[in-house]
Every structure is written in structure tokens, then in C-alpha cells.
Amino acid sequence: MKTRRIHRAAATPSVHRIVEDIIGCKWSLAVLAQVRAGVLRPGALEQAIPGISAKVLNERLKKLTRYGILERTSYAEIPPRVEYRLSAFGAQLGAILDQITALELQRTRQ
Amino acid sequence: MKTRRIHRAAATPSVHRIVEDIIGCKWSLAVLAQVRAGVLRPGALEQAIPGISAKVLNERLKKLTRYGILERTSYAEIPPRVEYRLSAFGAQLGAILDQITALELQRTRQ
């Protein structure tokens, strides 16, 4: 039974501020890339991102959820199960980040 | 007679680094918006951007040129004339910044 979904706090920073923060943070980008690729649980995320600690992963998941990029769903099971999914806003932001990466590739080829 | 065009230094930062820098800087965004709107000369830019000093304007023009976003052309005239134009890369980056602004507007309406 799906029980709780944490929504983003009212005082979410501006999208400009979010991009400024995310684009310069390799761990945020790595977590976002993995969730976009379908890796939804913290344990699996920690396995999928070489070098990330549980502490840093947890901080980034909290931040991405607070920004409204990810949605957290916890299931009242034994043991409790938590999953993170991309929100609609997260999907739009991801598409913009993809364009920045594409522009990067294009520029390095010039 | 168009004489000189300053190209960006070889060691240009990554696009991610450029976006991280530009997106959080109101003066860079303001200068970029005005050049995109066709205001090409430093004097006119200073007039068009309320509150910007000549010093800050000059710093931002140098940075945006170093990043390869703007191209500087100087004309050997009396008095010397200098103009800044958006490069192809600058146009692509501008389009991405527009999407971030659109996402911002969309989010504030929700």
C-alpha cells in the first residue's frame, strides 16, 4: 500500500537558482541521470553511482525532492520500501540539461 | 573598415561551467538579453541596462566574449567603433536560457 508522498516545500528556489545549483554538482547530475534511467531505490542508486556515499546520496535525494525534481513515495511494507521518480518538472529540467550536454559535445568537436 | 575580431581563448570553460556562471549573474543575463535584442555598442548597452556601471559592463562583455557567447568587432574609425554580436554558440545558449525562463514562468503559475 502506497502511503506517503512528500511534496516540495512552498519556498522552492527559482528555476534559475536550481539550475545554477544542479549544473555544477556532479552528484546531483549523477543521481538525476540514474533516476531518469529507471534506478528508483536508494540502495540501487548507491550501487549504480561509483564513489557516492549513502550520506551524500541521501542529501542529494532530499535536495532534488525539495526542488520538486523528484517525487518520493514510501510503501508501508516490512521492510519499508522507498522509491524516487522524476516529476513532470524534473523531466522538463532533464531535457534542458540534455541540451546543455549536447552543446558541450558539439563544442568539443569544433 | 572592419579590422579586428577577438576570438575566445583556447581554454574556454565547459558549457556546464558557463551556464553555472551566467545563470546566477543578473548583469550577464541583462547584457546578453540586450545584445540579443540588437543593442550592440557598449555605450548603448550602458544606457539600456539600468544600474550597470561601465566597469561591470566591460567585465561582463569581456567574460561573454571569452566564453565564446559574444563576438567583438572593432572598426578602425575616428572615434574607434566597437560592436558585440551573438555568436552561433551564444544563440544556442540563449535558446536554452529562454527555456529555463519559460519553465520558471510555468512553475510560478502553478
Side-chain angles (χ1 to χ4, degrees):
Chain A
M1 185 188 72
K2 193 157 66 176
T3 53
R4 216 160 42 99
R5 175 173 293 197
I6 296 173
H7 292 277
R8 57 183 163 86
T12 315
S14 72
V15 178
H16 281 73
R17 193 48 216 98
I18 289 172
V19 170
E20 182 183 13
D21 181 9
I22 299 283
I23 196 113
C25 172
K26 73 170 185 176
W27 294 125
S28 298
L29 292 176
V31 170
L32 188 52
Q34 290 297 328
V35 172
R36 290 178 78 196
V39 182
L40 307 180
R41 294 195 202 167
L45 284 164
E46 197 177 336
Q47 300 295 322
I49 304 170
I52 199 167
S53 68
K55 179 174 175 288
V56 168
L57 172 63
N58 196 38
E59 283 166 7
R60 295 304 183 281
L61 287 170
K62 272 192 185 146
K63 180 168 74 171
L64 293 171
T65 303
R66 191 173 72 246
Y67 282 169
I69 294 168
L70 298 183
E71 290 171 345
R72 179 183 187 275
T73 306
S74 60
Y75 300 85
E77 296 168 2
I78 312 285
R81 179 163 56 105
V82 170
E83 289 184 350
Y84 289 84
R85 279 187 178 70
L86 208 59
S87 66
F89 167 66
Q92 290 173 293
L93 196 68
I96 290 174
L97 295 176
D98 289 345
Q99 291 175 55
I100 292 170
T101 303
L103 196 52
E104 189 90 71
L105 289 174
Q106 178 193 313
R107 219 155 99 110
T108 42
R109 277 194 222 111
Q110 282 170 349
Chain B
M1 186 190 73
K2 193 158 67 175
T3 54
R4 219 162 40 104
R5 176 173 292 198
I6 295 172
H7 292 276
R8 56 181 166 86
T12 314
S14 72
V15 178
H16 281 72
R17 195 44 218 101
I18 288 172
V19 170
E20 184 183 13
D21 181 7
I22 298 281
I23 197 120
C25 172
K26 72 171 187 176
W27 294 126
S28 297
L29 293 176
V31 170
L32 187 54
Q34 288 299 328
V35 172
R36 291 179 77 197
V39 182
L40 307 181
R41 294 195 202 167
L45 284 164
E46 196 176 337
Q47 300 295 324
I49 304 169
I52 198 166
S53 68
K55 178 175 177 288
V56 167
L57 172 62
N58 196 37
E59 283 166 8
R60 296 305 183 280
L61 287 170
K62 272 191 185 146
K63 180 170 69 173
L64 294 171
T65 304
R66 192 174 70 246
Y67 282 170
I69 294 170
L70 298 182
E71 289 171 346
R72 179 184 187 277
T73 306
S74 62
Y75 300 85
E77 297 169 359
I78 311 286
R81 179 161 59 103
V82 170
E83 289 183 350
Y84 289 85
R85 280 185 179 70
L86 209 60
S87 66
F89 168 66
Q92 290 173 293
L93 196 68
I96 290 173
L97 295 176
D98 288 345
Q99 291 176 56
I100 292 170
T101 303
L103 198 50
E104 189 92 70
L105 288 174
Q106 178 192 314
R107 219 154 98 111
T108 42
R109 276 192 223 113
Q110 281 171 347

